[in-house]
Structures are given as structure tokens and as C-alpha cells.
Amino acid sequence: MVVCFLIHTVCPVSALSPAESRILYSRDFGLEDVELSGESREDNPEKRRLARKEKLGVVARQVRSAVCLSREMAGSVYVEAVLGEEAVALGEAERGVLSLGHGEPFAGQSVALWLGVQALAFTLVCQPQENLLLAEGTLRNLARHCLEELRLLGTGSEVLLKSDRVDAMLQRLLPHGQLLFLNHRFAQNMDKELSSYMSK
Amino acid sequence: MFAPGTESLVKQAREIQEEELQRFYGRISKHLLSNKEVAVEVVDSLQRLHLIVSATKYARTLPPDLIKKLQTLLRSLSCPEQFQILSSAILRESLPLSLHTLSTELSQDSRALSYMASVVLSQAGNKEDLLPLCQHLLKFLESRQPEVQVPKHTLPILSKIFSFSPKILSEDQVNVVSRKLADWLRYASVHQGASMSSGGFFTSPRIRQPAPMTEVDGAVAGDFFTVLCVGQSYTEDQWMNMYTFSMMKNWLLTYDTEGTSNAESAQLKRTQVIQTSHQDDRSEVDSSVMSMVSATSSSSRLLPPKERLREKAFEYCHRLIEQSDRKALKRTDAELQKACLVESVAIMDIICNEDASYVYRAFPCIKALYGRLSPDLAFARALLPIAQFYLNHSETAAVDSEAVFYQVFTRFPAELFNEPMLAFEFVHFCLHNVSVLQEKVVIYRHSFPNLLKFLAWNSPGLISEYVELLPSLLAPETAIELLHSLLDLPCLAAALDLQHRSSCYPALDRAVWDQQGSKITASLDAFRQPSYRGLFLYILRPEAGTGDTIDRLSTLHEALEGMVESPRVVRCAQIVPVLLHIYFNTVTQMADEKLLNQLLLVLLERSSLLFNIKNFSTEVQRVFSTHLQTLCKLHPPLIVDQYKELLEFVSTTTSIYSKENFYTHAVWVIGEYLSVSYDPRCTVELITSFFEGIEAVLFEITQVRQSSSPPCYSPRLLTVLMTALAKLASRSQDLIPRASLLLSKMRSFARSGPVAVYFSEEDTEEIITRAHELINLLKLPNVAQFVLAPSTHGDSPRWHRDTNAGLPQRMRAISGLLHNHSNFLPA
């Protein structure tokens, strides 16, 4: 199962310290296997929420540093793509993966897949036994939809205000964190539903 | 891309004043009461509300009436999806919890249920919170009436629930679901969903004859429906088939692990079934178009549900593997084929782990698949699960697996080192199977030069994995080569970088090369020169065993000079000390005398033969120093064994200037362990020659000439040299006068002009005091021998615990003696 999906910055943000990352969208699919980890469960919902949010922050920071290192080592400098060049931006995106150990930050072991598109990263954290090839395809598909539907290459703030669009995508492409084996026809069916959602 | 406007929106959402917030809540409540005329406005407010509740990590508490309205909105069947999404998102993020209210009144409507479930799943904290939702879903699954529509997302929700709490389903419920899953998996319709054709304006809409599904290459589907079947539209059961397969691995991992632990009885049952069997009557497929899978399918209706599901899942995977051989018309489908291969082989592996009788059925298929995929590196990631399958089952089936591992360990790292995902999966495959690989796969340890390529290429990303993996790569026969390989890791990174670059840019295209900077161009040129070929071939070798290292390493370093500032090389150099520590900690546990001797020689040799990266030598020498000490402590006769090399090393004054730390440690271990109490071979001649070597160095570096530059070594080195001299003198007492003479010169040296400028007053004082102490000590040779040569057990815990037997006791006695006798001693 997928644990969470994030869209966050990998560029310097004025209000944050250099290593920090601003999370622009996060979807936490909830429920961790506390029985296995033996981690004491927090009963206070407020504290539980805080802890979950902080865990997402940890992931975003780690991915940010991984993206930066990967770019540094490849010596790559990206050319800023503009609206309409989503396919180019996605084509040039860096991708990578890092393993998150027990309690770092999630109770169980997990794997964070990331896709660095210019100043942003798309991150999918899943359980280690998941099919990473499938997860990678799903992440790329989600990133493509997000870039297009939220106009992420533009200067607007749709990603914050129109987050329901991402929810609609996840509802179909990654329902409750379940990775799906979608052939092109299944995908087209979903795309059709999505575009009718977006056009409303 | 990320605009300042976005950042200020976050700020606004976080800093909104309480009063304004309350007004905003009120406005939304009012909007939600009114009808759809203000829908646009409602959407806008809900979007803003979502931003406000989600922008901060501290939960916001919404007024009860607003929460209630949002819950109603979520349940309402008539409301547009956008409203449901937004209210579900807001409820997930805010307090008070909606979990219990929603759980009491779960919707029958597929979409509403899914959005409600997302709130329940995100707010649930324990199994009890999930029970109502779980029971609600099971009601659909348990129903035997065909007209009951199972909500679309039942399986993903269920999957989430049981992966959190497997015990939430009773044994009976597991059976019910298993039965249902088997049906969806194996008996989904092979015809396309009835699509409504408009039929033009004048004709009434009619239902077209359902067309058959096709395979990904356009051919008519030859067997039962799978996720690799393509059609214009899909029926409900085909959607369920897709959801079922997507969760199958998770389900089997959770619920197929205990079941029939006695595979024999399952096998017995199955043969009985086959004997009395006839073709499974539910299959809709005409036998003439059956693929291999259906034709060989046995009736399994009499099997218990779990075993039946296992059988169906196996057949499904078998069919997917067959289907993956087809040439997909769409790129998405080609990618899906690969993902399906990975999944299918993994599922077959799980099934075979549970019931060994499947191994014989699986192997022909897996073997053929391997034969098909292995020549093509594009399928590398699909080959890893196959390797896993061989690793787990080849012994049971008496199948030779050597070729598979040979392929995996030689080709993948050498040719795909720059594939981050493959590298990750590969390394985790090794970690997952580390003990089996170590024991049974000969090539594993032998291919460490290859395995290190992944690390050299992406050192920050994989270091934590290699920290775990490194001990498993160590074997006594290749230990020395591994040590050299670790030290050469930055060279490997540089060589891989050059290899990558030169394959990207054609040799003739000088213009592109020159863009890389002249330094790199020089290295690239060297990479292509035949005279360097052997060196590069060595550093990029796939397997161990061609020799521990090469003679012309410094030539290679020169050729790679242009790469020393490349970020990849610099990052790689940073991890080497970490790996060296792990290496030495592991190797010292397994090393015999011979290996320890070899290790010592490597330390001496490589301390001055390292790739010239900033700080790299210093860091590596620091590790060397620590472990030189460990090695000698572990086996003190090393000093006598290697006295020639050690003597040459410590007698060379220039060593001080390039590697002072390591040199200091070398002098220290000689002073400490060159003693007859550690090794009977330690003769007076041996002690004298070391003494003379150290004496000469100390003499040379403490020569003060007017013209000489100030000393460029630390006071610590001086004191260590002095002490080592005194220690050696105490063991061969003829040397005492010489030692005392040299020590007595220290005072004038430390007080001389250039030295006093360079060393602080404290340092000078320290040097003089130490010299003075040692001179005094050497005046009582028997005492000096006693103090300067701690017994072999001097560091055992007893000396620290036992106040009567510790060194402090001795020291007190000696200082008392010295004090009392000082009057009798010559000034």
C-alpha cells in the first residue's frame, strides 16, 4: 500500500531554512501498522495529527536533499519550462528512490520514490514489498496530471486552492493508497472521468 | 514554478485571526444551507477552508454545526463529486473527529462510501475504529444475490484495513472473501462492457452486440480476462478483476502464510480433485481458443477457498506471463506488461513458498520467461524477481541456477550502474537474501568489484544499504582486494563517470567534450588512450580475482586528475572512511595471522598512495591510524614480522609532512608493542635498529638552524617520539645514555626562537616536562622498564576496577621514590 503522496518544493523558499521544503499538497492514506512496530499509539487525535504532519515534513526534507544531491552529481541544470511544456519538463525530470528505515519516520520500513520536476518534487511513499515498477509508473502518471491540471509550471497558486483536483486524481488512480494495474483502456476511462471533473 | 504568491497564501492561511475565522465558518455554514445557486461560491469557500485547515500542522477545531453540515454533504447522493471531495478532505484534516458519526451511517452509494471511508481510514487509530466500516464492506461481499452491486472501491478499502490489522477478519470471513476474489480473478466476462451507441439522431439508442476483449497486440483475447485485456469499455466484474489482481499479492502475503502448512495434504487433495475432475463449467471460453493456461487448468471447485484462490491466482499469473510476450501497441501497455511480470513472478514465489507442489508447475514457465527476458537489459528489473524465485526454489526443483546469478551479478552492475531504481532494487535484493547469497551463491562475494559500481555512482543514496551489505562481501581470500577496492572507490566513480560520458558523446565530437571543461577533457582523452586501457579495465573489472591491486595506480591517479573536483567523485570520497571502519571492524574478527600481516602492509603502502581529492587522504589516514593500533594490539608480533617495512616507514622523515597522524600512530605502536614480552623474537638488535631510526628522525626534526623554517608538525608528534625512544631504551638499557642525551636537548630546542613562535607556551611547557620526566625515569632503569612497559594484561578491566592493582598505584610508588631519591641524583 502507498503511505502518502506529496508535492513539495526543492528550491529555496524565503521563509524557510535552506534544507527545508514547503509541502504544497499532502495526502496521507493513514493507518500504520502499529501492531507490528510496537510503537505506542497516541490516543489524542490532536497529537496524532501533529505527529503525522511532522513525519510528512521529514520525508519532504529527505527527498529534497536527495534531489539536490542527485542534481549536483549529475551536474544537471534545468531550463525552466513554461506552461504548455509539461511533457518536456516531465521528460527531463530526475527520479530516484530512498529507503526509510523503521521509525524513520514511519513505524514500518518504507520506500520513498521521487520525481524532481524543476523546483518541485512529487513523492510517493510505499511499503517495501510494493511493486516499485508499478509505483513508479503511477507516480509519473500522477505527476503528469498534476502538472497539467494544476498548471504547476505557471505562476498561479492552483496547487493550494484547487487541491480537490489532486484528490479526484488519487481517488481514481490510487484509491486509498492501492496501486492499480491499469492498461491504457482502463486509464483512458479514468482520464475521461477526470477531465469531466476538471471541466466543471 | 513556485511563486511568491503561493508562499504568501500559506502564510495567510496560517495566520488568519480567530475572529475572522469564526466569521468565515459562519458564512460557509450559511452557504451550505442555501441551494445550488451559489455553488461556485460554495466551492470557492470550501477550497479556502481546506487550505486553512491543512496549511498548519496543528489541528483546527471546526464548530459542531459546520462539521455536521459537511458530514451531511458527504453522505448526500445528489451532491456533486467536488463537494464530496472537499468535505471529505476538510473532515480528514480537522477536529472534532468525524470517524464515529460517519461509521454509524455508512452510505450504500459507491462514491459516497469511498469518500466517507477515506475519512474513517485517516482518523482511525485502532482496530475497533475500523470494525463498522469493515463489516459494512463484508455485507456486500457475503451477499449471494447476484444483483447486489459491490461498491467500486470495496477492495482497495479492505486492502488498507487488513494490511493495518490482519486479525480484523475472522477465518470464515477470510474464506468468504477468498472465494469472491477467486471468482473475480478467474471468471470475469471476456466480452466488452455493453456500450451504448447513440445510433444517430433518428434511430433509437440500441445496445450493440458486445465485442470480445482483445490482447494488447490487438488479437482477440485467447483466454480468460486479465488486466492485460483491452476493450472499449469494461464491465463491473472486469473492474473488480483489476482491483482484485492489484491487491492479490498483499492478500496472499497476509492470509496465505499459515493456512496449509502441510503441503502434502494439499497435494493429495488436489490429485483427488483432478482425478474426478471435468472442465470447470463456469469458464465462458470456447475451448478452441483456449490458451495453455485454461487447457491445463484443473477443476478446483472442490478445494477449500484459500487453496482455490491460490490455484486461481497461479493460473492468472501464468496467463499474464504468457500475455507479456505479446507486442503491445501502446507504450503504457508495454510498461504495464513489465509491472505485471514483476508482480506475477512475485505472486508465484509466494504461492510456491506456501505449497511446494506448485514449484514443479511454475518452473517451466519461469525458465522460459528467463530465457526470453535475459538477453534484453530493458527487462532487468523483471529479472530480479526471477532471480529471487530461483534463489528460493531451484533447489527444490533441482534446477541449475548458476547462469541466472551469473547474468544478474555480472551484467547488471556493469551496464546499468546509472539506473537509480534498478540499483536500489538490486541492493535490496542482496540485503534481503544476504545469508543465502553468502552461503550458496559463489559468484556473489566474487562480484564485489561490480557491486561497488552502484555505490560509486550514487554514494549518498546507497551508503546506508552498503553499510549493512559490506560485511557479507568480505571473505578471507578476497579481503585484501576488497580493501584496495574500497580505497579506490573514488577512482571507480571517476572511471564510471568517464565511461558514461564517453558513451554519451562520440569521440569525434570535440566541441561537446570541450564544454565539459579542459580538465575533464584531459581525463576523457586518457580514458580513450590505449596506453591507459589496462588500468581502466582493471578499475572497472567485473569480478574479483585478477589481483589485489595494480602497480601503476599512481599513473591512473594522474590520468584521473581532471575528475578530482567532480561532485560525484567528491561525494564518493566522503563515504570511504565510513566503509573502511566497517571493513576493519569485520575483517579483524575473521583475520588469521597471515591476513593481519597483509593488512598492515596495505596500510603502510596505501597511506601515501591515494587519489588526490581534498581531505580524502587525511580522512583515510585517520581511519588507518585507528586500525593500525587495533591490528597491533590484536597481534603484537606483527611488528617483528614486518619490521623491515615499519622501520623504513618510521625512519623516513618526509612521512611526517604528508601523513603526520598515521606516522605518529606507527611510532606509538612500535614503542608500545616492540617488546620481548609480546614476541620472543624481539632481539636487542631489533630494538636498537628501531631506536636508531626514531632517534635519527627526532634528531633531524629538532635541529635548530638560524635559517630553518619553524617546525610544521604538532607537539604531540614530538612527545610521542620522545616516549617511544624512552620505551625502547628501557628495554635495551645500553641505549639509555643516548636517549637521555637526545631528550636533554629538548629544552633548548623548545625554547629556541623559531620554535617558541610556532608552539604555544603551553605546548612548549608540555614538551619540556615530558622530556624531563622521561630523563628522570630513565635514571632508574628497572623502574623505567616497569613503568614504560605495561604488562600484556594492563588494559584488562581488572586494572581499572581494582584500586590495589592499578597503574595509579605504581605511579604513586614511583613518584614517591623519585621524590625521596632526587637529592642523590646528579643534577
Side-chain angles (χ1 to χ4, degrees):
Chain A
M1 299 300 282
V2 172
V3 179
C4 65
F5 171 69
L6 306 174
I7 305 176
H8 56 102
T9 61
V10 287
C11 59
V13 177
S14 55
L16 300 176
S17 69
E20 295 276 310
S21 169
R22 170 75 73 217
I23 298 180
L24 300 176
Y25 174 87
S26 69
R27 176 67 200 275
D28 185 348
F29 291 104
L31 288 187
E32 268 194 80
D33 201 338
V34 282
E35 286 172 21
L36 275 180
S37 71
E39 187 183 277
S40 66
R41 201 178 57 240
E42 181 58 69
D43 280 326
N44 178 346
E46 205 168 337
K47 282 190 187 158
R48 204 164 65 207
R49 182 181 187 276
L50 180 64
R52 291 296 290 181
K53 289 274 171 190
E54 278 177 347
K55 286 179 182 184
L56 300 185
V58 171
V59 175
R61 270 202 298 280
Q62 292 200 15
V63 169
R64 197 212 134 115
S65 91
V67 175
C68 294
L69 276 171
S70 156
R71 285 183 177 163
E72 180 198 308
M73 289 199 299
S76 57
V77 266
Y78 60 83
V79 189
E80 192 107 340
V82 292
L83 275 178
E85 296 180 347
E86 282 79 12
V88 180
L90 203 58
E92 286 173 356
E94 283 93 6
R95 67 211 172 100
V97 52
L98 55 124
S99 131
L100 308 170
H102 286 287
E104 297 174 344
F106 298 106
Q109 252 187 345
S110 45
V111 176
L113 293 169
W114 54 261
L115 199 63
V117 183
Q118 307 201 358
L120 297 182
F122 299 87
T123 300
L124 195 74
V125 178
C126 56
Q127 291 174 331
Q129 74 273 18
E130 280 301 329
N131 187 327
L132 293 187
L133 207 56
L134 183 64
E136 211 190 331
T138 308
L139 177 61
R140 190 165 276 274
N141 195 14
L142 282 171
R144 181 177 60 85
H145 276 104
C146 288
L147 284 171
E148 284 167 8
E149 303 299 346
L150 299 172
R151 303 164 59 81
L152 286 174
L153 296 178
T155 50
S157 305
E158 277 98 333
V159 63
L160 292 180
L161 289 173
K162 304 232 163 112
S163 62
D164 58 294
R165 295 187 163 189
V166 192
D167 286 335
M169 292 169 207
L170 292 174
Q171 161 83 359
R172 287 164 178 84
L173 301 171
L174 193 59
H176 307 281
Q178 173 73 59
L179 290 166
L180 298 178
F181 287 83
L182 300 174
N183 64 40
H184 82 277
R185 276 295 174 181
F186 274 116
Q188 268 177 13
N189 269 305
M190 291 184 168
D191 287 357
K192 225 181 278 170
E193 273 183 50
L194 275 175
S195 61
S196 89
Y197 178 89
M198 305 300 170
S199 62
K200 268 177 199 155
Chain B
M1 199 167 182
F2 177 69
T6 311
E7 184 63 22
S8 84
L9 257 179
V10 173
K11 197 162 182 261
Q12 277 175 39
R14 284 185 176 177
E15 291 171 357
I16 187 166
Q17 295 300 311
E18 192 54 32
E19 208 177 309
E20 199 185 341
L21 197 58
Q22 292 304 331
R23 272 209 304 276
F24 184 57
Y25 291 155
R27 212 162 60 228
I28 296 178
S29 287
K30 220 181 293 163
H31 278 323
L32 289 177
L33 274 182
S34 62
N35 47 28
K36 294 198 174 72
E37 280 158 44
V38 282
V40 181
E41 222 169 300
V42 176
V43 168
D44 187 61
S45 326
L46 287 178
Q47 285 172 333
R48 279 173 193 279
L49 178 60
H50 178 247
L51 176 60
I52 291 170
V53 293
S54 63
T56 142
K57 58 182 175 181
Y58 304 105
R60 291 197 191 265
T61 309
L62 301 184
D65 69 309
L66 181 56
I67 286 274
K68 214 165 171 188
K69 284 200 181 91
L70 289 168
Q71 289 168 352
T72 318
L73 198 61
L74 189 54
R75 264 190 221 109
S76 137
L77 292 178
S78 60
C79 113
E81 187 182 0
Q82 197 172 20
F83 283 51
Q84 286 178 328
I85 291 187
L86 282 165
S87 44
S88 139
I90 295 165
L91 291 175
R92 276 201 306 265
E93 295 279 351
S94 49
L95 291 177
L97 296 183
S98 306
L99 163 74
H100 301 292
T101 332
L102 289 178
S103 297
T104 53
E105 219 183 307
L106 287 159
S107 177
Q108 300 288 325
D109 174 63
S110 174
R111 195 174 73 197
L113 177 63
S114 181
Y115 286 116
M116 288 165 98
S118 80
V119 181
V120 174
L121 291 174
S122 77
Q123 295 188 338
N126 54 40
K127 190 174 133 193
E128 283 64 42
D129 291 344
L130 293 168
L131 269 175
L133 178 61
C134 187
Q135 298 307 330
H136 187 73
L137 294 175
L138 285 170
K139 255 194 313 212
F140 295 110
L141 295 174
E142 281 165 349
S143 162
R144 286 182 175 267
Q145 283 134 351
E147 66 272 17
V148 172
Q149 275 270 331
V150 180
K152 205 173 176 183
H153 285 160
T154 302
L155 294 182
I157 301 170
L158 197 64
S159 184
K160 185 89 210 170
I161 293 178
F162 73 71
S163 54
F164 168 69
S165 169
K167 290 188 196 112
I168 201 163
L169 296 184
S170 67
E171 187 65 26
D172 286 345
Q173 287 168 329
V174 170
N175 285 337
V176 166
V177 180
S178 292
R179 198 171 294 132
K180 206 79 185 165
L181 292 177
D183 286 344
W184 275 319
L185 208 52
R186 187 61 170 75
Y187 304 110
S189 161
V190 282
H191 293 287
Q192 302 194 8
S195 61
M196 294 288 281
S197 103
S198 66
F201 186 74
F202 295 106
T203 47
S204 60
R206 62 190 166 83
I207 299 194
R208 228 194 274 154
Q209 188 66 29
M213 280 287 158
T214 61
E215 302 280 355
V216 285
D217 59 356
V220 172
D223 203 340
F224 58 88
F225 180 86
T226 69
V227 292
L228 286 176
C229 290
V230 183
Q232 290 289 332
S233 59
Y234 292 106
T235 58
E236 278 305 309
D237 60 348
Q238 287 163 349
W239 281 96
M240 293 318 274
N241 179 284
M242 184 269 290
Y243 287 119
T244 306
F245 178 63
S246 300
M247 68 175 277
M248 189 46 55
K249 188 166 78 179
N250 201 4
W251 178 268
L252 291 176
L253 278 174
T254 315
Y255 293 115
D256 201 31
T257 43
E258 75 294 359
T260 47
S261 46
N262 50 350
E264 277 173 33
S265 73
Q267 173 66 25
L268 191 68
K269 261 182 268 170
R270 191 169 300 102
T271 36
Q272 285 167 350
V273 169
I274 292 167
Q275 277 161 5
T276 61
S277 81
H278 31 81
Q279 278 296 322
D280 210 332
D281 50 355
R282 283 195 54 184
S283 176
E284 296 177 39
V285 185
D286 186 318
S287 59
S288 59
V289 289
M290 269 187 185
S291 81
M292 283 297 290
V293 180
S294 272
T296 54
S297 160
S298 59
S299 172
S300 47
R301 301 191 75 192
L302 302 176
L303 289 174
K306 271 189 183 177
E307 285 167 33
R308 177 164 174 266
L309 177 61
R310 206 182 280 164
E311 174 68 34
K312 296 300 166 202
F314 186 85
E315 287 174 12
Y316 194 93
C317 292
H318 197 170
R319 168 140 163 81
L320 279 181
I321 291 174
E322 279 186 3
Q323 284 179 299
S324 300
D325 199 14
R326 294 175 181 270
K327 179 115 190 65
L329 299 175
K330 297 273 178 188
R331 203 175 51 92
T332 347
D333 291 343
E335 279 166 19
L336 183 68
Q337 281 178 316
K338 283 185 201 166
C340 283
L341 283 176
V342 170
E343 192 80 356
S344 300
V345 178
I347 291 179
M348 282 190 166
D349 185 37
I350 297 168
I351 293 176
C352 290
N353 279 336
E354 271 322 295
D355 183 346
S357 66
Y358 278 96
V359 172
Y360 308 100
R361 286 171 65 189
F363 249 114
C365 163
I366 299 279
K367 234 194 245 174
L369 181 64
Y370 171 73
R372 200 173 91 208
L373 302 186
S374 61
D376 189 354
L377 279 179
F379 287 99
R381 288 174 70 185
L383 281 173
L384 284 179
I386 296 182
Q388 181 72 60
F389 192 92
Y390 270 89
L391 202 59
N392 291 349
H393 308 293
S394 60
E395 224 162 77
T396 318
V399 172
D400 185 28
S401 56
E402 211 168 297
V404 179
F405 295 116
Y406 186 77
Q407 155 97 356
V408 168
F409 285 106
T410 49
R411 264 191 95 187
F412 286 10
E415 295 176 50
L416 300 168
F417 57 86
N418 58 340
E419 272 294 311
M421 306 299 285
L422 177 82
F424 181 85
E425 288 184 326
F426 193 101
V427 174
H428 278 262
F429 166 77
C430 295
L431 273 177
H432 185 71
N433 299 299
V434 74
S435 52
V436 188
L437 287 173
Q438 243 178 312
E439 252 173 62
K440 294 186 183 158
V441 181
V442 186
I443 187 140
Y444 170 66
R445 274 180 173 171
H446 225 61
S447 54
F448 68 78
N450 236 0
L451 291 176
L452 289 174
K453 287 178 186 168
F454 287 131
L455 179 65
W457 186 260
N458 181 13
S459 41
L462 292 172
I463 175 67
S464 57
E465 278 83 3
Y466 274 83
V467 162
E468 245 176 281
L469 208 55
L470 185 63
S472 73
L473 294 172
L474 240 168
E477 59 277 15
T478 48
I480 296 297
E481 188 179 347
L482 179 58
L483 176 56
H484 282 291
S485 301
L486 291 177
L487 292 169
D488 293 334
L489 204 60
C491 291
L492 178 59
L496 287 173
D497 202 320
L498 292 176
Q499 187 189 352
H500 185 64
R501 279 174 209 257
S502 74
S503 65
C504 289
Y505 314 115
L508 298 172
D509 206 350
R510 291 295 305 211
V512 190
W513 280 34
D514 290 338
Q515 280 173 11
Q516 318 264 323
S518 57
K519 280 185 178 171
I520 298 183
T521 318
S523 290
L524 262 173
D525 274 334
F527 183 72
R528 295 224 157 113
Q529 265 178 37
S531 58
Y532 288 109
R533 203 175 146 69
L535 300 175
F536 280 105
L537 276 180
Y538 178 79
I539 209 81
L540 293 168
R541 70 197 183 282
E543 275 182 62
T546 40
D548 293 341
T549 183
I550 38 174
D551 298 335
R552 293 160 63 211
L553 207 52
S554 53
T555 321
L556 181 69
H557 290 167
E558 279 162 29
L560 292 173
E561 190 68 38
M563 302 295 291
V564 290
E565 280 166 16
S566 140
R568 196 179 300 286
V569 177
V570 173
R571 291 286 175 190
C572 185
Q574 287 166 352
I575 62 157
V576 172
V578 181
L579 293 171
L580 286 176
H581 274 301
I582 295 164
Y583 173 88
F584 281 110
N585 289 341
T586 317
V587 80
T588 42
Q589 285 167 19
M590 58 155 71
D592 56 7
E593 204 182 313
K594 185 176 158 226
L595 184 55
L596 288 173
N597 272 293
Q598 287 172 318
L599 286 171
L600 180 70
L601 288 179
V602 176
L603 291 189
L604 292 175
E605 182 201 344
R606 292 303 303 260
S607 63
S608 52
L609 188 56
L610 291 167
F611 197 19
N612 186 22
I613 305 166
K614 200 176 166 211
N615 292 335
F616 181 56
S617 306
T618 328
E619 290 300 320
V620 171
Q621 281 159 15
R622 189 166 299 160
V623 181
F624 276 11
S625 309
T626 312
H627 293 285
L628 175 70
Q629 234 170 311
T630 326
L631 291 180
C632 293
K633 187 172 166 189
L634 203 66
H635 190 66
L638 275 181
I639 313 267
V640 181
D641 290 338
Q642 301 305 333
Y643 84 93
K644 268 190 197 144
E645 280 72 18
L646 271 171
L647 183 59
E648 193 190 326
F649 182 78
V650 294
S651 314
T652 317
T653 321
T654 46
S655 300
I656 296 173
Y657 303 112
S658 57
K659 37 186 175 284
E660 184 187 313
N661 190 33
F662 184 63
Y663 180 86
T664 313
H665 279 78
V667 172
W668 186 86
V669 292
I670 290 168
E672 190 70 10
Y673 296 111
L674 185 71
S675 158
V676 74
S677 61
Y678 288 112
D679 191 340
R681 294 172 299 164
C682 181
T683 56
V684 173
E685 288 75 35
L686 208 58
I687 292 178
T688 311
S689 52
F690 272 110
F691 180 90
E692 283 171 348
I694 295 173
E695 182 190 37
V697 170
L698 184 61
F699 182 75
E700 188 182 334
I701 63 171
T702 53
Q703 278 294 309
V704 190
R705 296 180 213 96
Q706 280 309 323
S707 59
S708 69
S709 53
C712 41
Y713 46 82
S714 67
R716 174 163 162 257
L717 174 71
L718 273 187
T719 54
V720 170
L721 279 169
M722 293 186 311
T723 314
L725 268 188
K727 282 177 179 171
L728 294 179
S730 75
R731 285 167 215 161
S732 170
Q733 297 186 356
D734 292 347
L735 299 170
I736 289 181
R738 282 165 72 176
S740 299
L741 181 69
L742 191 52
L743 289 171
S744 65
K745 288 181 183 161
M746 285 302 137
R747 188 186 184 88
S748 60
F749 163 74
R751 288 279 177 231
S752 68
V755 182
V757 174
Y758 185 70
F759 290 157
S760 72
E761 182 58 30
E762 224 169 274
D763 290 339
T764 315
E765 210 48 55
E766 190 62 39
I767 294 169
I768 296 171
T769 317
R770 175 65 66 94
H772 186 69
E773 278 171 4
L774 290 171
I775 292 170
N776 282 346
L777 207 49
L778 289 176
K779 282 174 187 162
L780 298 166
N782 291 336
V783 178
Q785 191 179 22
F786 183 52
V787 173
L788 293 173
S791 85
T792 31
H793 308 296
D795 55 351
S796 74
R798 182 168 165 259
W799 291 106
H800 302 286
R801 281 202 304 268
D802 189 349
T803 43
N804 294 323
L807 195 65
Q809 177 88 357
R810 292 180 182 183
M811 292 307 287
R812 268 197 304 279
I814 290 155
S815 58
L817 267 174
L818 286 172
H819 189 73
N820 291 340
H821 288 81
S822 58
N823 296 341
F824 304 108
L825 294 170

